[in-house]
Amino acid sequence: MSTASTSRTSPVPQVLSKVFVQRDYSEGTTVRYQNKFPQDLDRRISREKFESTIKTLNSIYDEAEHVGKRTMLEGFLGCITAYMIFMCMETYYEKCLKRAARYIREQNETVYIPNGLMIVDPMQRGLRVIEICILQTPTNSQQQQQ
């Protein structure tokens, strides 16, 4: 008896190269990324879409690091419960990081992957860089064969 699977999966695109968007330390050590458009992305995505993505990510990370009443209360509750409260609840910072990950997933699905690119969540790189992978697409492979 054959146990061959009849489900079809789409091929995983190969990564041709990677582009890194560095952190912007001009305003201190807060999590911000440079919005300088990498030349490697020139024919793949518009400068405006790229800058909009970086601007939105920067605003999410700015919001995550904002010290307000909520974060002070979280810190206070953490101290008086020997930080055991964080086993029961998610911090505002963690919620913002999840929102950034959702935004990146959405941008990949709607903007980047259709253009042969993919953004890697900066959390996977310790928030040091935004990694943008240039993917092998049918148009890329045809150009390379010529």
Side-chain angles (χ1 to χ4, degrees), residues 18-145:
K18 297 178 181 183
V19 176
F20 296 95
V21 178
Q22 300 296 321
R23 287 270 297 265
D24 180 4
Y25 292 103
S26 65
E27 297 179 24
T29 58
T30 60
V31 179
R32 291 191 66 73
Y33 296 96
Q34 298 174 358
N35 61 354
K36 180 182 172 194
F37 186 71
Q39 292 302 315
D40 294 342
L41 306 182
D42 198 21
R43 292 187 188 105
R44 296 181 173 272
I45 192 167
S46 71
R47 181 180 298 269
E48 292 78 25
K49 286 184 181 180
F50 172 80
E51 288 175 354
S52 173
T53 301
I54 299 299
K55 182 179 177 184
T56 302
L57 285 173
N58 282 340
S59 69
I60 291 171
Y61 292 126
D62 283 344
E63 186 180 332
E65 294 196 4
H66 175 73
V67 178
K69 293 177 185 176
R70 181 181 180 140
T71 53
M72 286 189 206
L73 180 62
E74 285 176 354
F76 175 73
L77 289 174
C79 286
I80 64 171
T81 62
Y83 296 96
M84 292 179 66
I85 194 164
F86 297 126
M87 293 183 342
C88 306
M89 70 174 253
E90 202 171 49
T91 65
Y92 185 66
Y93 192 83
E94 291 168 329
K95 289 178 184 177
C96 287
L97 291 179
K98 284 185 178 181
R99 188 161 45 109
R102 273 194 314 272
Y103 176 74
I104 290 169
R105 244 187 338 271
E106 171 196 304
Q107 289 296 295
N108 276 335
E109 291 170 2
T110 59
V111 177
Y112 287 86
I113 291 177
N115 289 303
L117 302 169
M118 184 181 72
I119 300 177
V120 176
D121 186 356
M123 270 304 288
Q124 294 181 8
R125 303 289 173 259
L127 296 173
R128 292 173 292 135
V129 294
I130 295 176
E131 179 181 327
I132 301 174
C133 298
I134 299 175
L135 305 174
Q136 176 78 33
T137 61
T139 19
N140 286 348
S141 57
Q142 289 172 0
Q143 289 173 352
Q144 287 178 351
Q145 291 174 357

Side-chain angles (χ1 to χ4, degrees), residues 3-22:
T3 59
S5 174
T6 58
S7 66
R8 294 181 185 208
T9 58
S10 59
V12 177
Q14 290 185 334
V15 176
L16 290 177
S17 62
K18 297 178 181 183
V19 176
F20 296 95
V21 178
Q22 300 296 321

